Amino acid sequence: MSLTRPAVPAFAAAPVAAVAVALAAVLTALSGRYGFHRDELYFLVAGDHLAWGYVDQPPLTPLLARISTEIFGSTPMGLRVISTITGAATVVVVALIAREFGSERRAQILAAICAAVSGFVLGVGHMASTATYDLLAWMVISLFAIKLLRTGDGRWWIALGLATGIALQNKYLVVLPLAALLIAVLILGPRSVLRSWWLAAGVLVAAAIAAPNLWWQAAHDWPQLTVAGGISEDDGTENRIMFIPLQILQLSPFLVPVWIAGFLRLWRTPALRWAKPVALTYPVLCVLVLALGGKSYYALPVLLVLVAAGCQPTVDWVTTTGRRTLLAVGLVLTALTSALFTLPVLPASAVNFVLPVNQEQGEQIGWPELVDDVAQAWQQIPEDQRSRAVIFAGNYGEAGALVKYGAAHGLPAPASGHMSFYDWSRPADTQTGPVLLVELERNPGYENNFNDCNQVGTVDNRKGVDNEEQGTSLVLCASPKSPWSQLWPNLRQFY
């Protein structure tokens, strides 16, 4: 089908690239501070057990973690190189989305800057996480979907299918914005884009790319759905209560006027009537996420699309009123507050200040110290019993830290029933000696599987950071009550 609407303005490639490079430079300069995040420690181990799927995720993030550390080194900085590149690419795609809405050069540059200084982009760009690559995937899918709506050219369904298939190898959440956009198009049109065999072709492309992971999940009884159900059950109420406040805080309060302007522009502008369903996608997506009890950041990528749309009216307003200083101050405040709450700019001892807004900052601190404390507790096991002893970690962060740092202390590889650690290793039945439990809190459910359990230590990160692992109990048990092969199913933990 031929182009049915006016061509877009020229792309401000050089200045947008400069913004992306500046972001990459900042992320690189700070990537080595603090340390690994708990999820990153898990990805490092998952990368050593490459598969088409895991209990809690598809394979892409562990694969990228493996590639990044193989090339750049198994350090926080080495692991985060691909994440940094992904963050920079996200900035470029946001500017391209602004261009699709007819935004001129200055508005495209502003879109890139707004993305680069937003808390969400800085936060996920700093670390290797599923959200890092998911954000870029959502932006690319949004770009292709907007091109489809703007041009009416059904061939964009193939690009959409390709991007969606790759995104599904990282996270299943991508189905939510696609479902929200489909609902919006059915309500507002243009429905003609749905009456095309290219749509079926795009679906087949996505299905073909996602098939290996879907097969893995089906073969293992869909454990990822069990994990998702646990998230909704345990955190659903809190997620719903904090949904709106975190939407504002995680992107940046200073960007609220921009994305509101973007929503109104797409909703009201006759020349952008084709883009009206893009505006409706955001509230529909919010309803879906709230209904499922999902986390607030699940809807943030669509807010970035609205930011991209709002940059042209923002530039027009600044030009008309001459309030360039106000815009500059707003961007500087956005950059400073976003960096403060999402990047490791504070001394580790001062991180408690930002934890009420961003708990992930604290989860990058204290892992070597945790392993030090575990090693001290391990020394309480008589030397002649250590060959039969087991360290059992309560969650994948603790287990990942012990894998990463434990060998330097002479510790054995840990066991854990959490997420995919359950599948990677299980103690042999011949390991009938003492069991050292690493527990966030004393857990009778776990301890009842072992004999004569007593607390022998407490984890202290030495910096006073009130993160999840601070105060973790180290409990030494005399032996397992049953062979590990019998105990193991009782120790599985999906969430």
Side-chain angles (χ1 to χ4, degrees):
M1 187 180 296
S2 60
L3 187 70
T4 59
R5 294 183 176 90
V8 295
F11 184 50
V16 167
V19 174
V21 169
L23 172 64
V26 171
L27 293 177
T28 299
L30 296 172
S31 62
R33 283 178 57 82
Y34 295 176
F36 290 109
H37 185 273
R38 67 164 58 249
D39 292 351
E40 293 177 320
L41 291 165
Y42 180 46
F43 298 143
L44 288 175
V45 183
D48 290 331
H49 297 82
L50 292 177
W52 278 114
Y54 302 90
V55 166
D56 55 329
Q57 64 187 304
L60 185 59
T61 296
L63 174 62
L64 292 176
R66 173 73 173 271
I67 292 171
S68 196
T69 53
E70 288 285 344
I71 297 174
F72 302 107
S74 187
T75 64
M77 181 175 287
L79 174 63
R80 293 166 177 169
V81 171
I82 295 179
S83 302
T84 296
I85 295 171
T86 301
T90 299
V91 166
V92 175
V93 178
V94 170
L96 286 168
I97 290 173
R99 175 176 177 251
E100 286 297 314
F101 292 134
S103 299
E104 302 293 341
R105 179 182 179 87
R106 288 182 298 170
Q108 295 172 28
I109 299 169
L110 179 60
I113 294 173
C114 287
V117 300
S118 68
F120 189 49
V121 173
L122 286 175
V124 301
H126 167 60
M127 296 185 299
S129 69
T130 54
T132 306
Y133 311 117
D134 204 42
L135 175 58
L136 177 59
W138 282 37
M139 291 298 97
V140 171
I141 289 170
S142 297
L143 176 63
F144 292 157
I146 291 165
K147 283 181 176 290
L148 172 66
L149 294 175
R150 181 179 64 81
T151 66
D153 189 340
R155 289 173 293 185
W156 284 109
W157 279 116
I158 300 298
L160 267 170
L162 178 63
T164 300
I166 295 173
L168 286 170
Q169 289 286 15
N170 181 63
K171 221 171 185 182
Y172 292 162
L173 283 178
V174 69
V175 301
L176 292 180
L178 288 172
L181 179 60
L182 175 61
I183 292 170
V185 170
L186 287 172
I187 294 173
L188 298 174
R191 300 181 189 88
S192 58
V193 298
L194 304 177
R195 296 190 293 268
S196 169
W197 72 271
W198 287 107
L199 169 57
V203 171
L204 288 175
V205 169
I209 296 172
N213 174 252
L214 296 175
W215 174 86
W216 189 96
Q217 285 287 326
H220 292 80
D221 297 323
W222 300 97
Q224 197 164 340
L225 296 181
T226 303
V227 174
I231 293 174
S232 179
E233 181 178 347
D234 287 6
D235 298 337
T237 300
E238 180 182 353
N239 290 340
R240 293 182 180 99
I241 292 172
M242 294 302 296
F243 186 84
I244 293 177
L246 287 179
Q247 285 277 292
I248 295 172
L249 290 173
Q250 289 173 337
L251 194 64
S252 174
F254 298 104
L255 293 179
V256 171
V258 181
W259 61 258
I260 289 178
F263 180 91
L264 295 176
R265 180 189 180 201
L266 298 183
W267 193 258
R268 295 176 175 176
T269 306
L272 292 174
R273 183 179 179 182
W274 58 268
K276 198 171 183 177
V278 178
L280 183 59
T281 296
Y282 176 65
V284 172
L285 178 59
C286 289
V287 170
L288 292 177
V289 173
L290 285 168
L292 294 172
K295 298 179 180 180
S296 61
Y297 77 84
Y298 291 177
L300 282 180
V302 179
L303 267 188
L304 274 179
V305 174
L306 297 182
V307 166
C311 286
Q312 186 63 59
T314 300
V315 167
D316 293 341
W317 176 79
V318 169
T319 302
T320 301
T321 62
R323 296 184 178 179
R324 292 179 175 83
T325 301
L326 180 61
L327 177 60
V329 170
L331 292 174
V332 169
L333 289 174
T334 302
L336 291 176
T337 54
S338 294
L340 178 66
F341 286 100
T342 64
L343 297 179
V345 295
L346 292 174
S349 58
V351 165
N352 285 343
F353 172 74
V354 303
L355 293 187
V357 175
N358 183 13
Q359 295 180 351
E360 308 309 320
Q361 290 281 64
E363 299 309 316
Q364 302 170 70
I365 295 169
W367 296 109
E369 290 78 9
L370 178 144
V371 178
D372 288 343
D373 292 334
V374 172
Q376 292 179 31
W378 179 260
Q379 293 301 315
Q380 300 185 42
I381 300 174
E383 190 170 353
D384 62 342
Q385 297 181 26
R386 292 177 194 167
S387 62
R388 296 181 287 108
V390 172
I391 299 175
F392 187 86
N395 63 52
Y396 64 60
E398 296 161 354
L402 288 162
V403 171
K404 179 65 179 174
Y405 302 112
H409 294 271
L411 298 177
S416 179
H418 194 211
M419 299 299 189
S420 284
F421 268 98
Y422 177 92
D423 300 310
W424 292 333
S425 65
R426 186 191 73 196
D429 285 346
T430 55
Q431 292 180 274
T432 58
V435 181
L436 179 59
L437 303 178
V438 184
E439 305 180 78
L440 290 180
E441 297 178 352
R442 296 291 297 271
N443 186 336
Y446 275 127
E447 294 181 19
N448 286 339
N449 293 291
F450 308 97
N451 294 307
D452 192 18
C453 296
N454 295 286
Q455 186 165 342
V456 295
T458 302
V459 170
D460 182 5
N461 56 50
R462 284 54 150 186
K463 298 176 179 66
V465 176
D466 190 22
N467 58 15
E468 188 170 347
E469 251 61 37
Q470 182 72 343
T472 289
S473 300
L474 302 177
V475 178
L476 186 60
C477 304
S479 62
K481 288 184 176 179
S482 305
W484 283 101
S485 57
Q486 295 179 24
L487 284 181
W488 202 238
N490 300 330
L491 300 176
R492 175 147 223 173
Q493 183 182 356
F494 283 102
Y495 180 68

